[in-house]
Amino acid sequence: MNPEKIPDIIIGRLPVYLRALQRLSEKGILNTSSQELGELIGISAAQIRKDISQFGEFGKQGTGYSIPFLIERLRDILKVDRVWEVVIVGMGDMGHALARYNGFANRGFNVSMVFDNDPQKIGQKVGGFEILNAGLLSEKIKQNKIKVAMLTVPAPAAQEVADQLVKAGVKAVLNYAPISLNVPNGVWVQYIDPVTHLQRMTYYLD
Amino acid sequence: MNPEKIPDIIIGRLPVYLRALQRLSEKGILNTSSQELGELIGISAAQIRKDISQFGEFGKQGTGYSIPFLIERLRDILKVDRVWEVVIVGMGDMGHALARYNGFANRGFNVSMVFDNDPQKIGQKVGGFEILNAGLLSEKIKQNKIKVAMLTVPAPAAQEVADQLVKAGVKAVLNYAPISLNVPNGVWVQYIDPVTHLQRMTYYLD
């Protein structure tokens, strides 16, 4: 299995499969089919079978997929069979929301530090975290070998902070600022922009 | 052009193209190529050409795309050449962040009302909005013919609130709660889940 060969578009669907499988598992369900999974997440059964078959032979004709087994494989493939320590930079509303978000547990991520550059905010507590001085960002990231960051600073500051993160060793940035970031090869950026999701839906409305 | 025939995966990329084009436009740039656009957003030039050609002949060999023209067409296709009034339900951290988010302007959406069911919160002000009693949700949505909602309530409440929204006439729900929603045909749901984005990146990390 050569990761370079799997199209990114397929990689993008694997976390959605994993999330759905984990939900079924929480309900005590042990087996599923591409049909059932497809109905849950709105992707065709054929697409799901094709995507999953990229990584080996999982399903059995007639009996479908073993949920615990498929979860284990997907966690392994997506490298979330471990826990990635994550920093949040920017303690505005979005940073607060993420610091208190309870959807990270058991999914491969743990928020370990939160930063802001506002003297009024530094030292305050949010969701069990003390807000650290953004001036310490590089030092703390290097010390703790952090690879993953969530960027929730205002748009005008985002590129500069991203440069700092990358220089300190961060390889994956989840960007909430509504601007495109320039990063070198080998660094990954994903964007969270509610408007793109809304526009995708209005296409279908009258 | 029959909307039913364009795969949803292509529709999902159009808002990303539109966002990039609007950024170029804000810088005063009038023309671009699929090459340039592709580098900006990390999608291949061939894919961009193919996607855009689904909607007609836009680019010219050698001169590329007229940015104002392509923006106008994409806004038209995505139905964001108008303004959709949006409600936010759930005034926790995420609801606050969205109520104050300045990325909606000029992109087809206007937050018009925000709701919560917590008596402590009802009547308070957030980003210029007075938090309304969630008990008024159906009434207000019907009165104002709202079609689009952002759902930022806790997971255990999400399905029930979604049912109310749908019953009152909402056709598009952007769901921030980490659960899958069941909605009838003709209603669209999109999910914002930071973990799926993070997992898509950790796949590529060592």
Side-chain angles (χ1 to χ4, degrees):
Chain A
M1 181 180 107
N2 178 353
E4 301 303 322
K5 288 197 176 164
I6 311 286
D8 181 61
I9 195 84
I10 295 181
I11 302 307
R13 285 191 287 264
L14 300 184
V16 179
Y17 300 159
L18 178 55
R19 182 175 59 191
L21 290 164
Q22 286 181 319
R23 274 176 203 149
L24 291 171
S25 176
E26 282 160 17
K27 290 181 189 163
I29 301 170
L30 292 172
N31 287 281
T32 189
S33 62
S34 47
Q35 209 71 39
E36 184 185 44
L37 206 52
E39 277 163 28
L40 268 177
I41 58 184
I43 296 179
S44 78
Q47 181 75 72
I48 292 173
R49 277 194 300 274
K50 202 175 147 199
D51 287 353
I52 290 177
S53 70
Q54 298 264 348
F55 299 93
E57 283 299 322
F58 292 111
K60 277 186 201 152
Q61 197 69 35
T63 62
Y65 300 109
S66 154
I67 292 177
F69 180 71
L70 194 49
I71 286 176
E72 201 190 315
R73 285 293 293 128
L74 285 173
R75 283 166 45 93
D76 177 44
I77 290 165
L78 293 169
K79 303 207 180 85
V80 290
D81 51 350
R82 64 211 79 176
V83 175
W84 297 87
E85 298 296 331
V86 180
V87 299
I88 303 174
V89 190
M91 279 292 114
D93 291 315
M94 193 60 75
H96 273 74
L98 288 173
R100 291 185 185 137
Y101 185 64
N102 59 12
F104 294 117
N106 297 319
R107 299 177 70 193
F109 302 93
N110 180 53
V111 175
S112 59
M113 290 179 283
V114 308
F115 295 88
D116 203 288
N117 67 355
D118 179 350
Q120 302 280 332
K121 290 182 180 167
I122 295 165
Q124 286 194 1
K125 291 263 184 180
V126 178
F129 301 100
E130 185 187 328
I131 300 178
L132 301 177
N133 188 333
L136 302 172
L137 195 54
S138 296
E139 184 189 326
K140 293 285 187 191
I141 286 174
K142 284 180 198 167
Q143 253 173 25
N144 296 281
K145 299 191 170 57
I146 303 285
K147 300 287 175 211
V148 183
M150 296 193 281
L151 192 52
T152 50
V153 299
Q159 182 64 54
E160 194 191 323
V161 175
D163 291 345
Q164 273 184 58
L165 292 170
V166 169
K167 214 173 157 192
V170 164
K171 299 291 182 197
V173 178
L174 184 57
N175 179 30
Y176 282 76
I179 70 152
S180 286
L181 298 176
N182 296 314
V183 296
N185 279 336
V187 178
W188 304 89
V189 180
Q190 285 272 307
Y191 297 87
I192 291 206
D193 174 358
V195 177
T196 56
H197 293 271
L198 292 171
Q199 292 180 339
R200 183 174 186 161
M201 295 189 285
T202 51
Y203 171 81
Y204 296 101
L205 303 191
D206 301 320
Chain B
M1 181 179 104
N2 179 352
E4 300 303 320
K5 288 196 175 166
I6 311 285
D8 182 60
I9 194 86
I10 295 182
I11 303 307
R13 284 190 288 262
L14 301 184
V16 179
Y17 300 159
L18 178 55
R19 181 175 60 190
L21 290 165
Q22 286 181 319
R23 274 176 202 151
L24 291 172
S25 176
E26 282 159 17
K27 290 181 189 164
I29 301 169
L30 292 171
N31 286 281
T32 189
S33 61
S34 48
Q35 208 72 36
E36 184 184 43
L37 207 52
E39 278 164 27
L40 269 176
I41 59 185
I43 295 180
S44 79
Q47 181 75 73
I48 292 174
R49 277 194 300 273
K50 200 175 148 201
D51 287 354
I52 289 176
S53 70
Q54 299 262 347
F55 300 93
E57 282 298 322
F58 292 110
K60 279 186 199 152
Q61 196 70 34
T63 62
Y65 299 110
S66 154
I67 292 177
F69 180 72
L70 194 49
I71 286 176
E72 202 189 313
R73 283 295 292 129
L74 285 173
R75 282 166 46 95
D76 177 44
I77 290 165
L78 293 169
K79 303 208 180 85
V80 291
D81 52 350
R82 63 211 77 174
V83 175
W84 297 87
E85 298 297 330
V86 181
V87 299
I88 304 173
V89 191
M91 281 290 114
D93 292 315
M94 192 61 75
H96 273 73
L98 288 173
R100 291 185 184 136
Y101 185 63
N102 60 12
F104 294 117
N106 298 317
R107 299 178 70 194
F109 302 93
N110 180 52
V111 174
S112 59
M113 290 179 282
V114 308
F115 294 88
D116 204 288
N117 67 355
D118 179 350
Q120 303 281 332
K121 288 182 182 169
I122 295 165
Q124 287 195 1
K125 292 262 184 181
V126 177
F129 301 100
E130 185 186 327
I131 300 177
L132 301 177
N133 188 335
L136 302 172
L137 196 54
S138 297
E139 184 189 325
K140 293 285 186 188
I141 285 174
K142 284 181 198 163
Q143 254 173 23
N144 296 280
K145 300 190 167 58
I146 303 285
K147 300 286 173 213
V148 182
M150 296 192 281
L151 192 52
T152 50
V153 300
Q159 183 63 54
E160 196 192 321
V161 176
D163 292 344
Q164 274 184 57
L165 292 170
V166 169
K167 215 173 158 194
V170 164
K171 299 292 181 197
V173 179
L174 185 56
N175 179 29
Y176 283 78
I179 70 152
S180 286
L181 297 176
N182 297 314
V183 296
N185 280 337
V187 178
W188 304 89
V189 180
Q190 285 271 308
Y191 297 87
I192 291 206
D193 175 357
V195 176
T196 57
H197 293 273
L198 292 170
Q199 291 181 339
R200 183 175 187 161
M201 296 190 284
T202 50
Y203 171 81
Y204 294 101
L205 303 189
D206 300 319

